[in-house]
Amino acid sequence: MKPRAEIALAWVTLKEGMRERAFMGIMTFALLLLIASGVIADLSIGNILKVTQDLGLSAVSFTGLLLAFFMGTHLIAKDLDKRSIYMVLSKPMGRGSYIAGKYGGLVALVGLSLAFITLFMLVATFYFYKTSRLYFPPQIAWGKLVLASIFIFLEASLILALSVFFSSFASSPLLALFLTLAVYLVGESTHQVSEILHSPLGQRTSPVLKALAMGAFYIFPDLSLLDLKAAAVHNLPLPPLRLMKTALYAICYILALLILATFIFKKREMK
Amino acid sequence: MKKGILTLPLLLLTHWLHLVLSPVTGGYLPPLPKKEVALLSTVEFKALLSDYYIAKVAQIYGGPGPSTPAQVKWMTGALALSAKLDPHYLEPYYFAGNVLPWKGELDQAISILKKGLEHRYWDWRIPFYLGFLYFYFKREPVEGARYLSMATQSPEAPPYLPLLVARLYSEKGRFSAAIVYLRGLHRTLRDPMLRGPVKKRLDALTIMERIERLANEYQRKYRAFPHTLQDLVRAGFLTHVPEDPYGGRFFFKPDGTVWTTSNLREVEKG
Amino acid sequence: MQAALRIEDLTKHYKKGLREKIVALRGLSLEVHQGEILGLVGPNGAGKSTTIKIIMNLLFPTKGRVEIMGINARSPKAREHLGYLPENPSFYDHLTGEEFLLFTGRLLGMEGNEGREKAWELLRMVRLEDAGRMAIRKYSKGMAQRLGIAQALMGDPRIVVMDEPMSGLDPIGRAEVSQLILSLKKQEKTIFFSSHILHDVEAICDRVGILVEGRLTYLGTPSRIVSTPTWLLKIEGDYRGILREKGLTHATMVGRITQVEIQEDELWEVMDAVRGCNLPIYSLEKRRCSLEEIFAKEVGSETAG
């Protein structure tokens, strides 16, 4: 059977998201950030193109984060709050289809937005590259910039899955947002924390705390794996096999979250 | 609520713009958090904080007047933090290798550069800076040679590097080695804002080397050391007393070597 | 013949806080026959919406079960036979009416053309053909209600379940929805709907169920509930004395109006008696029992069945 219902729901979610004022705000903000990045980079010193790329990729990643945090929790909460979800759930499809369709729409929304912002970022970087006052311009790894953006998209998709997961049981969107944010912060730092624990500083840490931290390291998503910004900006080697494994890691994590979300959502009553 | 969150990065942005736009007053130095705090709080935007500290260091470095001890101390901390936040970024190593030693922070500079070797292992510039520091400041030519040969063996090293290193070791004069190094460094720099200060130091050292050479000739001719630069002018070795690009005045130390009242640091005019 | 909808011993508790629980349904049993219109009436909070949401699998029963054409309501297959109009339906209102129906069609697995034909057929049926290409956000309450009915019919379900289909509508809107429901019966659909207004129910239903505090207190034809009505005679001015002389002892004053209640079988007798007095009659109206009065009457007096 074709996933026609899921695609229809994804399409409606995408259209709905694009009409949200918050979405417009985030996109405008991202474009302003990219324009400002040129000015800022021009005022800094040394390899200004490095700063341009830092700012550009950070703008892409910041946009992805904002969209994932807000649109994910907001659109599902709105569906529940306005009770438009009743019309969908009363159709002969499972709750899993609702989760899949909604998530699909959100991913499409974030993906299209990031593609647009990335394109703008590349054009801006190219412009600054051409007009730079440097004696001999450094090499720019264009392919790796695109790759870094793709992994930013993967990261945003993972955060979307988190927000869908938390929305499946949280009673308020603010709670879902807060939980998603908390997991993001933990996921960004588990790698750092485990490094600190393995350093001489970690020798003094109590074993209980250490075990907890290592538990967190394995349960929470290691988001630092998906961060290729530094590799792109400094043109560091990116072994394809490692990249594929990293992508697979993100995709498996997303699937696990969505399956859990479906499981919980199936038991949720629509009051 | 959403708009509230959006204002946060905007505030940071304006703060940065303000810092970069406003001329350095020397008063305000942004706080330097502990490295663990900095690493954990910047999530995936570590590079931006690193860029920020480098921008601020460059601003102090390129600003008018000499840097105060507080500024030098802050720059040292900021460079170490910046290198920690974005360990593949060349600029912290550049400043650590070429600014800190001249301001008396030699050991810190060496420690930052040695960490840099691990991350930018392919880059010939870090061992190049390190080798010179050992050779010139530390006066450990053997250790210096180890790093310099590491630099020449790097696949990305420029073709002129082996020749440059050879000349470094053949030079006998006090300033000649530094001149050779600075010439090499100058060739690697992209940014006019960084080239300027190197060129200035190069100019000052070139003049001092010339004065020292002329003083030696003076001694051979008159069997006595010149007391002042005027002696050289009077004897016809110089047409006029050369100016120190840093705004100081050249003079002979009692042991007969040349130095300048600027100590090769920017002197405030007025 | 198999029941279209069978509700068996349905009980629903809500948790409120940690300890407290609210009992919304207490062992409700009910069968809706194929092709009939069954209205479920009851005051607010009686459990009507809870019943409908359990049928739609939006809520889950604490005890008991619901079967739709013999299929447990918990299974998605059961909903293949169901069309649902929620209370105060809310749409993805950036879509047009046509787009929403197409979306509904796709949720039901329809192809583009098939869905489009059905959508326009239904838009014509609910008289929204002129508003089909208008954004739903611009729809009036009545239009939204009719679009809600159209989307419930997209999959040609055998059973249509409606939660308060007439609430919040003006008299014309109510009449339109009533007409629609009657026309659905002609298409041999089974209709189960809830209302808190008895008048809506008695006019169109084959059978009526009265739900009070989670229990079915009456189930039968509407004519049996609307028992002998009374008449209310209003006279301008204080005429209690004259009325008392004519044997009407229970007249009361409301403002400047004298009111007196007359039983149906005494109406003509009383009217003959007051004819000669030349009273300034303000109005004479048939008084319906309010639902609350019926509910009060029904509680405890009749059992479900």
Side-chain angles (χ1 to χ4, degrees):
Chain A
M1 201 187 102
K2 274 194 203 162
R4 203 170 281 136
E6 289 84 346
I7 292 169
L9 187 59
W11 176 241
V12 163
T13 306
L14 172 67
K15 275 178 88 176
E16 190 189 11
M18 283 166 109
R19 298 183 59 98
E20 285 290 325
R21 219 178 293 160
F23 174 77
M24 303 286 203
I26 291 169
M27 292 304 279
T28 315
F29 177 75
L31 292 182
L32 286 177
L33 204 66
L34 278 171
I35 292 165
S37 76
V39 181
I40 295 168
D42 206 43
L43 289 166
S44 60
I45 206 163
N47 186 353
I48 58 167
L49 283 170
K50 185 263 180 188
V51 180
T52 311
Q53 293 173 71
D54 273 348
L55 286 162
L57 281 178
S58 294
V60 175
S61 140
F62 195 62
T63 313
L65 289 180
L66 280 182
L67 287 176
F69 282 129
F70 289 115
M71 301 316 276
T73 47
H74 175 66
L75 286 184
I76 291 181
K78 193 176 153 197
D79 223 3
L80 288 165
D81 193 48
K82 280 187 67 190
R83 289 179 289 170
S84 38
I85 192 172
Y86 289 3
M87 301 260 196
V88 179
L89 293 186
S90 62
K91 301 297 177 287
M93 55 185 237
R95 300 244 170 130
S97 298
Y98 175 80
I99 296 276
K102 212 73 192 165
Y103 180 73
L106 287 166
V107 165
L109 177 71
V110 171
L112 286 176
S113 314
L114 286 185
F116 175 69
I117 295 287
T118 301
L119 193 70
F120 194 88
M121 182 268 289
L122 291 174
V123 170
T125 310
F126 186 73
Y127 173 77
F128 296 128
Y129 175 72
K130 282 290 166 200
T131 57
S132 117
R133 56 178 158 76
L134 298 180
Y135 275 84
F136 41 97
Q139 287 212 317
I140 292 184
W142 298 103
K144 285 177 186 167
L145 283 181
V146 174
L147 210 58
S149 293
I150 291 172
F151 273 75
I152 288 171
F153 167 64
L154 269 180
E155 187 198 8
S157 303
L158 207 159
I159 292 167
L160 275 176
L162 280 169
S163 68
V164 168
F165 170 69
F166 287 124
S167 296
S168 72
F169 61 83
S171 51
S172 85
L174 212 61
L175 179 65
L177 178 65
F178 174 77
L179 289 170
T180 311
L181 197 66
V183 173
Y184 167 75
L185 290 177
V186 174
E188 275 292 341
S189 57
T190 48
H191 202 86
Q192 293 286 348
V193 170
S194 83
E195 262 177 22
I196 291 172
L197 287 178
H198 285 109
S199 75
L201 193 73
Q203 303 300 315
R204 285 177 287 148
T205 321
S206 83
V208 178
L209 203 68
K210 229 170 164 169
L212 275 177
M214 288 321 283
F217 181 68
Y218 289 113
I219 292 169
F220 289 92
D222 187 352
L223 295 174
S224 61
L225 281 179
L226 302 175
D227 186 358
L228 303 186
K229 293 198 279 290
V233 169
H234 298 297
N235 198 4
L236 304 178
L238 290 171
L241 191 66
R242 189 182 153 79
L243 284 186
M244 276 191 271
K245 280 182 189 162
T246 310
L248 193 68
Y249 169 76
I251 291 165
C252 288
Y253 208 102
I254 289 169
L255 286 177
L257 280 172
L258 293 181
I259 290 167
L260 273 178
T262 303
F263 189 70
I264 296 170
F265 201 59
K266 267 188 179 152
K267 305 213 177 294
R268 179 164 178 165
E269 301 206 305
M270 303 290 144
K271 281 174 192 159
Chain B
M1 159 83 198
K2 277 166 212 154
K3 278 170 196 145
I5 284 173
L6 281 183
T7 53
L8 196 72
L10 274 177
L11 279 177
L12 285 172
L13 193 75
T14 47
H15 174 63
W16 185 348
L17 277 171
H18 179 235
L19 271 177
V20 179
L21 286 169
S22 67
V24 136
T25 51
Y28 177 68
L29 295 171
L32 293 173
K34 280 183 73 171
K35 67 172 194 271
E36 285 83 9
V37 175
L39 280 171
L40 289 179
S41 63
T42 45
V43 288
E44 58 186 284
F45 303 103
K46 295 181 174 58
L48 290 186
L49 189 63
S50 180
D51 292 344
Y52 170 78
Y53 281 125
I54 290 302
K56 186 72 189 162
V57 165
Q59 201 183 41
I60 296 172
Y61 170 61
S67 335
T68 63
Q71 281 177 329
V72 173
K73 191 165 173 289
W74 184 87
M75 279 163 84
T76 311
L79 289 172
L81 194 58
S82 178
K84 190 84 202 165
L85 284 166
D86 191 356
H88 296 102
Y89 189 15
L90 177 65
E91 263 66 10
Y93 306 121
Y94 172 78
F95 284 107
N98 299 293
V99 176
L100 293 186
W102 299 91
K103 297 190 186 287
E105 291 282 355
L106 183 60
D107 292 334
Q108 275 295 326
I110 287 177
S111 124
I112 294 172
L113 285 174
K114 280 189 175 164
K115 277 186 201 135
L117 274 183
E118 292 167 26
H119 297 285
R120 289 186 70 95
Y121 50 86
W122 68 89
D123 194 341
W124 62 275
R125 280 167 291 199
I126 293 176
F128 177 58
Y129 302 158
L130 255 177
F132 177 70
L133 294 193
Y134 272 104
F135 181 82
Y136 186 77
F137 286 97
K138 278 242 172 207
R139 295 183 196 285
E140 291 177 24
V142 179
E143 190 68 359
R146 196 166 73 80
Y147 284 114
L148 288 170
S149 79
M150 199 193 280
T152 52
Q153 276 159 24
S154 160
E156 286 187 19
Y160 57 79
L161 192 64
L163 193 69
L164 194 145
V165 171
R167 280 190 54 200
L168 203 60
Y169 273 81
S170 67
E171 290 295 343
K172 294 284 177 287
R174 272 192 340 117
F175 300 118
S176 346
I179 290 169
V180 170
Y181 171 76
L182 289 175
R183 279 214 186 102
L185 184 67
H186 191 253
R187 290 179 74 165
T188 68
L189 293 180
R190 301 185 163 104
D191 189 335
M193 287 165 82
L194 291 181
R195 285 180 147 220
V198 171
K199 185 75 172 52
K200 191 185 255 188
R201 172 156 289 138
L202 192 55
D203 289 346
L205 291 179
T206 312
I207 296 168
M208 286 159 81
E209 190 216 16
R210 182 157 168 254
I211 294 171
E212 232 174 62
R213 199 159 27 80
L214 293 172
N216 284 335
E217 281 178 34
Y218 183 98
Q219 196 214 10
R220 271 201 296 280
K221 193 166 174 186
Y222 298 101
R223 306 263 162 226
F225 242 82
H227 290 288
T228 63
L229 270 75
Q230 281 300 331
D231 292 343
L232 289 178
V233 177
R234 269 194 295 274
F237 285 99
L238 281 170
T239 51
H240 63 276
V241 175
E243 267 178 44
D244 175 4
Y246 287 97
R249 202 168 39 75
F250 295 117
F251 64 94
F252 288 112
K253 290 210 254 187
D255 63 353
T257 56
V258 180
W259 197 241
T260 162
T261 54
S262 69
N263 283 320
L264 296 178
R265 290 165 203 179
E266 207 66 52
V267 169
E268 237 155 340
K269 305 191 175 69
Chain C
M1 194 162 64
Q2 187 187 34
L5 187 70
R6 183 213 296 278
I7 298 171
E8 239 178 63
D9 191 26
L10 202 60
T11 303
K12 178 68 189 170
H13 300 164
Y14 290 113
K15 274 201 191 103
K16 185 186 169 192
L18 281 175
R19 288 249 179 111
E20 224 179 316
K21 65 177 185 187
I22 295 171
V23 183
L25 288 175
R26 304 162 196 264
L28 172 69
S29 293
L30 177 70
E31 258 182 39
V32 184
H33 309 310
Q34 287 188 34
E36 78 168 335
I37 303 178
L38 196 146
L40 193 63
V41 281
N44 291 328
K48 302 183 302 280
S49 267
T50 302
T51 309
I52 286 181
K53 282 183 175 175
I54 291 174
I55 293 170
M56 296 316 301
N57 197 38
L58 294 169
L59 292 175
F60 314 130
T62 311
K63 218 181 97 191
R65 59 189 266 131
V66 174
E67 272 177 17
I68 293 125
M69 306 300 294
I71 307 166
N72 191 330
R74 295 300 310 265
S75 155
K77 270 200 119 31
R79 271 165 276 142
E80 283 175 10
H81 302 292
L82 286 172
Y84 171 53
L85 171 72
E87 185 176 1
N88 298 321
S90 163
F91 306 86
Y92 297 112
D93 55 13
H94 57 278
L95 301 176
T96 65
E98 181 198 12
E99 284 170 336
F100 190 81
L101 291 185
L102 284 176
F103 164 63
T104 308
R106 290 204 190 92
L107 288 184
L108 293 161
M110 286 178 167
E111 299 277 359
N113 270 340
E114 184 195 355
R116 200 173 301 275
E117 268 170 39
K118 186 76 190 168
W120 280 101
E121 181 196 321
L122 288 170
L123 283 172
R124 275 190 293 276
M125 179 185 150
V126 299
R127 298 196 304 98
L128 282 174
E129 62 267 44
D130 296 332
R133 297 196 202 282
M134 194 164 95
I136 302 175
R137 135 176 60 83
K138 294 180 190 151
Y139 277 25
S140 71
K141 172 92 186 151
M143 290 161 85
Q145 199 75 6
R146 279 181 278 147
L147 182 66
I149 293 173
Q151 68 79 36
L153 298 171
M154 260 318 265
D156 242 331
R158 298 167 82 161
I159 307 161
V160 183
V161 177
M162 305 186 196
D163 199 351
E164 298 280 357
M166 289 164 224
S167 80
L169 297 181
D170 57 21
I172 298 169
R174 306 175 97 83
E176 279 175 347
V177 171
S178 297
Q179 276 309 312
L180 269 172
I181 292 176
L182 284 173
S183 71
L184 289 179
K185 184 184 160 72
K186 280 194 199 114
Q187 297 171 29
E188 292 175 352
K189 299 205 184 295
T190 308
I191 290 137
F192 180 72
F193 76 97
S194 73
S195 176
H196 60 276
I197 300 163
L198 187 61
H199 175 72
D200 294 339
V201 177
E202 64 173 322
I204 55 172
C205 285
D206 298 315
R207 284 195 302 155
V208 175
I210 295 178
L211 195 63
V212 180
E213 288 175 4
R215 273 198 198 92
L216 200 60
T217 59
Y218 174 85
L219 183 64
T221 54
S223 55
R224 279 187 56 207
I225 332 170
V226 189
S227 51
T228 46
T230 57
W231 292 82
L232 191 69
L233 178 65
K234 292 182 181 177
I235 305 162
E236 230 171 336
D238 186 356
Y239 292 96
R240 279 178 293 182
I242 298 174
L243 290 175
R244 208 171 294 125
E245 283 168 24
K246 304 288 174 196
L248 295 165
T249 52
H250 51 280
T252 51
M253 283 301 290
V254 177
R256 54 187 177 82
I257 306 263
T258 309
Q259 285 191 356
V260 65
E261 202 173 312
I262 305 164
Q263 295 303 309
E264 172 95 346
D265 48 359
E266 297 170 349
L267 177 67
W268 295 113
E269 203 180 316
V270 173
M271 289 311 283
D272 283 341
V274 295
R275 195 202 302 266
C277 303
N278 209 10
L279 297 174
I281 290 179
Y282 181 75
S283 69
L284 174 68
E285 55 198 58
K286 197 170 187 174
R287 216 178 81 106
R288 308 192 163 276
C289 302
S290 75
L291 198 56
E292 281 65 31
E293 281 171 316
I294 292 170
F295 294 149
K297 216 162 69 185
E298 296 294 339
V299 174
S301 68
E302 269 198 74
T303 44

